[in-house]
Amino acid sequence: MTPPLVALTDQTLGWGGQAVLRGVTLRIEAGERIVLLGRSGVGKSTLLATLHDRMALRTALVPQDHGLVGSLSVFHNIWMGVLDDHGTAQNLRCLLWPRRAERARVEDTLDIVGLSGMGRRRVAQLSGGQRQRVALGRALLRGGAVVLGDEPVTALDPAQGAALLDHLGARFKTSILALHDVDQALRVATRIVGLRAGGIAVDAPAGDLTEADLLALYR
């Protein structure tokens, strides 16, 4: 049997010494497209952070706060996704004098996320939706076996969000995304994990669940 990417058994998860989720048992297999659902504050971010920390494979992360540096350009924020692929000297050189091939690589990603030609603009000058696109672009440039996203398309309209979720699905074999939109969840997920009352209330194939089943998580 192929070992799972991550396996949690009866775990208590939290931060700052405070338990947020209890009795968490979860096994993540390669190739799954998992969506986490539940009210704000129920523990989706805590679960995502735990899964990210325990992944042994290369992962890309789209955090809820975007994790961008406002004083740097869009180019440099997206390039951060591959900083650990290069040595210190190359990264310093790229900070000052990016090569044409490096700019072209980032520009290809900007085309995907709808920010063509904006590589030189400072992130501090961008709208919330544009910043979210930069964070998604950084994850797409990084690539890897797994992408984890904490509300990765909330600042985008439904059509834009759906298109970018499709790009993540095409780029990464495995995805674990915290979403709020039930319709999006049913469209992109192979499996849905619903959190409620400090634990996992739903863990089932997406095809076995209805919109009503998932809306019950928010009551």
Side-chain angles (χ1 to χ4, degrees), residues 5-30:
L5 298 181
V6 180
L8 306 176
T9 303
D10 197 24
Q11 297 272 302
T12 296
L13 310 179
W15 54 275
Q18 180 177 356
V20 176
L21 295 168
R22 299 180 185 275
V24 175
T25 295
L26 192 64
R27 180 183 174 101
I28 309 295
E29 307 286 353

Side-chain angles (χ1 to χ4, degrees), residues 33-186:
R33 304 204 178 282
I34 297 172
V35 168
L36 309 181
L37 290 176
R39 290 186 174 194
S40 295
V42 77
K44 299 189 301 296
S45 297
T46 298
L47 180 54
L48 269 178
T50 300
L51 296 174
H52 180 257
D53 289 345
R54 301 192 189 186
M55 287 283 177
L57 301 176
R58 182 181 178 103
T59 63
L61 177 66
V62 186
Q64 193 173 82
D65 65 359
H66 305 153
L68 305 177
V69 180
S71 60
L72 294 180
S73 68
V74 169
F75 168 86
H76 286 108
N77 274 275
I78 288 183
W79 192 257
M80 286 178 188
V82 292
L83 282 181
D84 57 352
D85 292 339
H86 309 290
T88 302
Q90 182 173 346
N91 285 329
L92 287 173
R93 189 267 307 152
C94 188
L95 178 65
L96 300 172
W97 302 290
R99 291 175 177 162
R100 181 177 299 177
E102 293 163 344
R103 287 199 177 276
R105 187 178 172 192
V106 170
E107 191 60 41
D108 287 343
T109 302
L110 291 177
D111 289 343
I112 293 172
V113 299
L115 295 175
S116 298
M118 296 181 66
R120 296 179 186 274
R121 187 171 300 187
R122 285 195 305 121
V123 162
Q125 299 172 325
L126 302 182
S127 68
Q130 289 170 329
R131 293 183 190 198
Q132 190 159 67
R133 290 172 183 272
V134 174
L136 286 161
R138 182 183 56 201
L140 288 167
L141 184 70
R142 177 169 180 76
V146 185
V147 62
L148 298 97
D150 195 350
E151 305 293 347
V153 296
T154 51
L156 308 177
D157 70 43
Q160 295 169 335
L164 286 170
L165 288 178
D166 289 344
H167 279 296
L168 290 179
R171 182 73 173 86
F172 297 91
K173 180 179 180 181
T174 305
S175 61
I176 308 169
L177 307 174
L179 301 176
H180 271 307
D181 190 311
V182 168
D183 290 334
Q184 281 184 340
L186 288 170

